[in-house]
Amino acid sequence: MDRADVCVLLPTYDEAETIGEVVDGYRAQGFSDILVIDGHSTDGTRDIARQHGARVETQSGTGKGQAIREAMEYIDAPYVLMADGDGTNPPSDAEAMLEPLDRGYEHVVGNRFADMRPGAMTGLNKLGNRIVNRAFAYIHGEEFADILSGYRAFTRDSFERLDLTSDGFGIETEMSVECAKRDVRTAVVPVTYHPRPDGSDTNLRPFRDGSIIFLELYRRAKTNNPLFYFGSVGALSTLTGLLLTFYVAYEWFVPPRVSHEVIAVGAAAGILFGVQLLIFGVLADMILTFHREQLRKIEELDEKTDASTPRRKPRQKQ
């Protein structure tokens, strides 16, 4: 792939300790179009990035997700290589990240767990990542190995097909969900993940950002796996109602008998609500399956029409 067709995108926020070395690394790999989209850093990140030859833009809002969406307004290249500006993603993996795009893939995820160096991720973060990846595979039916990875490569056209709204660290989760939902051809590439250099502080807050990521996973299941989205709440409501029913029955039949009319009404309401949600989830899943089947047939028909339509020969000048 011609390096001139690739823009290296580096979202940053207070990365003065590492951004210069990161930009130099990608320039050494032959990339000349390096865009730093900065989230109002106060430590001189923007000045250092410019000194090392990067284009620098300051995002109008806040958060990594908003930065990435806005950065696309400044990119004309057909391919984008996105990495973190903290030095954890080695530029030497750039070739491996871009290679699947040459083979027809539209989105590439760098799997950090393939070669994670000691100290690169805390035990708590590793556990959280594992749980998130398992949940994603179960809910959305795709195995991307490391959906929270910030090291990605994608075509500009495929990015424009994604419906992205997240402003913060949920952007990687959202991109993965959208790729699964919209059948974007996605490849997973093993990459190295280094620990952050001394003096470079992480902007990630495990509990706050982890809860946002789980909420994003669940919210996106509404249109990609409605049976899970509605069924999980329905099953919880039904189970709660049944447990309350057993409690009321036990209190009524075992002396001294005690009646719990209010709890009984709540138990009945919980069961009814849960069963209704389960039925709604099944119906929504059937509608989604039918919708996907219709889209597949339309795409096949379009391909057959394109293949059978003769191309016009250019008119020769007299």
Side-chain angles (χ1 to χ4, degrees):
M1 179 180 293
D2 191 342
R3 294 291 193 264
D5 293 332
V6 181
C7 175
V8 178
L9 173 59
L10 303 173
T12 60
Y13 179 70
D14 286 344
E15 306 288 2
E17 292 289 334
T18 56
I19 191 58
E21 183 178 348
V22 172
V23 172
D24 288 343
Y26 285 105
R27 287 176 65 85
Q29 293 293 321
F31 297 98
S32 57
D33 186 8
I34 301 174
L35 173 63
V36 171
I37 183 79
D38 185 68
H40 307 277
S41 295
T42 58
D43 64 349
T45 296
R46 294 187 296 277
D47 292 335
I48 296 173
R50 288 192 187 97
Q51 291 168 9
H52 287 260
R55 286 192 292 143
V56 178
E57 298 291 344
T58 304
Q59 67 182 99
S60 59
T62 58
K64 185 177 182 180
Q66 194 275 337
I68 293 171
R69 296 199 309 273
E70 187 172 341
M72 299 307 293
E73 300 174 8
Y74 303 103
I75 297 176
D76 295 322
Y79 303 103
V80 178
L81 176 63
M82 186 178 79
D84 293 327
D86 56 8
T88 56
N89 305 134
S92 57
D93 283 333
E95 181 67 30
M97 290 291 294
L98 293 171
E99 191 271 336
L101 299 181
D102 274 335
R103 294 189 282 115
Y105 286 95
E106 300 173 285
H107 195 100
V108 182
V109 178
N111 179 16
R112 300 169 296 173
F113 291 96
D115 184 18
M116 184 172 292
R117 300 301 170 85
M121 188 179 291
T122 65
L124 178 62
N125 285 347
K126 284 182 181 179
L127 176 62
N129 271 265
R130 298 291 189 188
I131 294 174
V132 168
N133 282 294
R134 291 286 181 85
F136 174 84
Y138 177 77
I139 296 171
H140 298 284
E142 294 284 354
E143 181 59 67
F144 290 162
D146 187 9
I147 70 166
L148 302 183
S149 174
Y151 207 4
R152 294 173 182 252
F154 47 85
T155 64
R156 182 181 175 84
D157 290 340
S158 68
F159 184 89
E160 291 175 349
R161 302 206 313 268
L162 307 183
D163 181 20
L164 304 176
T165 59
S166 176
D167 287 336
F169 282 101
I171 186 65
E172 289 93 354
T173 302
E174 198 172 46
M175 292 174 76
S176 300
V177 172
E178 283 292 296
C179 284
K181 175 182 176 181
R182 302 185 186 278
D183 293 325
V184 175
R185 290 195 65 195
T186 303
V188 178
V189 170
V191 296
T192 301
Y193 189 59
H194 291 287
R196 295 176 66 99
D198 294 337
S200 175
D201 296 326
T202 180
N203 297 312
L204 180 67
R205 300 294 179 267
F207 291 103
R208 182 200 64 184
D209 296 318
S211 61
I212 292 174
I213 290 167
F214 276 111
L215 181 62
E216 186 62 33
L217 266 180
Y218 181 75
R219 186 175 69 87
R220 289 277 170 168
K222 178 170 57 179
T223 54
N224 202 36
N225 189 348
L227 181 58
F228 172 82
Y229 181 81
F230 295 104
S232 57
V233 179
L236 180 62
S237 179
T238 302
L239 178 61
T240 302
L242 289 173
L243 290 175
L244 290 175
T245 299
F246 289 138
Y247 171 73
V248 171
Y250 178 82
E251 289 286 296
W252 174 254
F253 287 107
V254 177
R257 295 181 177 182
V258 180
S259 62
H260 297 283
E261 290 84 356
V262 175
I263 297 178
V265 171
I271 294 173
L272 289 174
F273 179 70
V275 171
Q276 286 178 339
L277 280 180
L278 287 169
I279 294 173
F280 189 80
V282 171
L283 292 175
D285 189 68
M286 292 173 61
I287 293 172
L288 178 62
T289 302
F290 177 75
H291 175 69
R292 286 174 173 169
E293 182 64 21
Q294 292 300 106
L295 286 178
R296 186 183 63 80
K297 290 181 178 180
I298 291 173
E299 290 174 356
E300 290 178 355
L301 183 60
D302 286 341
E303 291 176 359
K304 291 180 181 179
T305 302
D306 291 340
S308 61
T309 302
R311 296 184 179 179
R312 282 188 175 183
K313 295 182 178 180
R315 298 180 67 181
Q316 297 181 350
K317 293 183 179 180
Q318 301 295 330

